Amino acid sequence: MESSPLSTFKQYETDSYLFESTGKVLQVNQLDSGKYEVIVDRTIFHPQGGGQPNDEGVIKSDDAEFTVEDIKLNGDYISHIGVFSEQGQTFEQDQEVSQVINEELRRKYARTHSAGHLIDMAMDKVGFGHLEPGKGYHFPKGAYVEYIGVVEADKRDQLKQDLNAAIKDIIDNMREEDSSVAKVHSYEEAKEVLGCIPPYLPEGKNVRIVKLCEDDKGCPCGGTHVKHIKDIEGIEVSKIQKKKKNTRVSYSVVDC
């Protein structure tokens, strides 16, 4: 295909509950592996990143179906990598195609990711807000959030109990009208909202800030999230342990 400006609008950043959409094909490239790369002008497919797994699903036209096996963010565009259902199938440049992601997985990923943010709120509520969140792993199996600093061994069991109680209290008492908000700000606006910008974010670039509710301080995040805290349903903090100079809070999302 002929080259065209490669820029993909990330629809998942504006609506995590958008499970079907359309897009215009920018490029289709065959890779050395024999698989194909499909690039469209807008996508609902979230790439793996920020501790969250990538979506699964298909891109299709009237005469071709493409199974998305991997998703990569490449600067301003997103690569959908996978295979066509039959040999010889392809998409044409500027062709309108439909996108369908696995709704069950997307909802699970959004719940698990938002649960990590809710644990941040609960840490603050139980008196450990001075520990700054570090990395997070938001896969359904083995999910955790790490905080910079160590909680003493003799306080970890009590912290686990307090966190589980605080999480339940936040979910149970959240107002129905208090929905989550994901908004893209300019760098300067984000600095005003957050007070300071994490050093890993490039200066001058727009920053997407997610707030689960009015009381949430918010944080920069490119992942998918629930529309309301009650959609998380329940969280169980299962273990708190020391990881080098950090404290790891392991958790799972549970159905109520």
Side-chain angles (χ1 to χ4, degrees):
M1 285 187 172
E2 296 178 2
S3 63
S4 74
L6 297 181
S7 178
T8 305
F9 176 69
K10 306 173 186 69
Q11 292 178 292
Y12 58 80
E13 287 191 342
T14 57
D15 188 353
S16 293
Y17 289 3
L18 188 61
F19 310 114
E20 296 186 21
S21 185
T22 59
K24 185 174 71 174
V25 176
L26 300 179
Q27 282 190 13
V28 175
N29 304 304
Q30 187 166 16
L31 305 176
D32 292 340
S33 63
K35 296 184 179 182
Y36 287 83
E37 172 192 48
V38 174
I39 304 169
V40 290
D41 66 338
R42 56 190 181 273
T43 186
I44 54 176
F45 284 86
H46 183 281
Q48 181 171 324
Q52 180 178 325
N54 62 250
D55 287 314
E56 298 179 11
V58 296
I59 301 174
K60 52 188 177 180
S61 65
D62 290 338
D63 51 8
E65 181 170 310
F66 180 79
T67 299
V68 179
E69 299 178 342
D70 193 13
I71 310 158
K72 296 186 181 300
L73 177 61
N74 294 305
D76 291 332
Y77 70 91
I78 288 179
S79 297
H80 305 79
I81 299 168
V83 295
F84 286 94
S85 60
E86 295 182 14
Q87 188 173 1
Q89 287 186 345
T90 190
F91 301 130
E92 300 299 325
Q93 188 174 17
D94 295 330
Q95 183 177 11
E96 196 80 6
V97 290
S98 61
Q99 306 171 39
V100 181
I101 60 171
N102 183 314
E103 179 178 346
E104 182 181 358
L105 281 180
R106 163 61 68 83
R107 288 184 180 274
K108 183 179 293 185
Y109 296 161
R111 290 174 64 206
T112 306
H113 198 153
S114 294
H117 286 227
L118 181 49
I119 290 173
D120 292 346
M121 293 177 60
M123 285 285 283
D124 190 50
K125 189 171 182 178
V126 300
F128 283 83
H130 59 284
L131 296 183
E132 180 183 348
K135 66 179 180 179
Y137 182 81
H138 308 297
F139 283 57
K141 291 184 178 180
Y144 65 79
V145 182
E146 280 192 12
Y147 295 89
I148 300 170
V150 176
V151 175
E152 294 84 348
D154 60 350
K155 294 182 179 179
R156 292 173 199 159
D157 283 344
Q158 186 61 52
L159 176 57
K160 184 177 77 170
Q161 295 177 39
D162 292 345
L163 282 175
N164 281 319
I167 288 165
K168 185 177 186 305
D169 183 65
I170 293 170
I171 294 175
D172 289 348
N173 292 290
M174 188 56 55
R175 302 185 303 275
E176 292 293 341
E177 64 272 16
D178 196 355
S179 300
S180 64
V181 176
K183 184 177 179 181
V184 177
H185 298 262
S186 70
Y187 189 86
E188 292 303 318
E189 289 173 342
K191 192 183 297 185
E192 291 183 13
V193 173
L194 299 173
C196 64
I197 304 292
Y200 60 81
L201 294 174
E203 189 170 353
K205 293 285 188 178
N206 290 342
V207 180
R208 179 175 181 257
I209 296 176
V210 174
K211 295 184 66 173
L212 292 183
C213 63
E214 186 177 352
D215 292 336
D216 186 5
K217 296 176 181 177
C219 71
C221 184
T224 61
H225 289 278
V226 297
K227 289 194 173 181
H228 194 282
I229 276 181
K230 288 186 180 292
D231 294 347
I232 299 173
E233 295 190 43
I235 305 170
E236 180 183 2
V237 174
S238 56
K239 185 188 300 182
I240 298 177
Q241 57 192 139
K242 178 179 178 292
K243 287 293 180 178
K244 297 183 179 178
K245 296 182 179 181
N246 294 342
T247 297
R248 176 176 293 184
V249 178
S250 299
Y251 70 94
S252 58
V253 170
V254 295
D255 297 326
C256 297

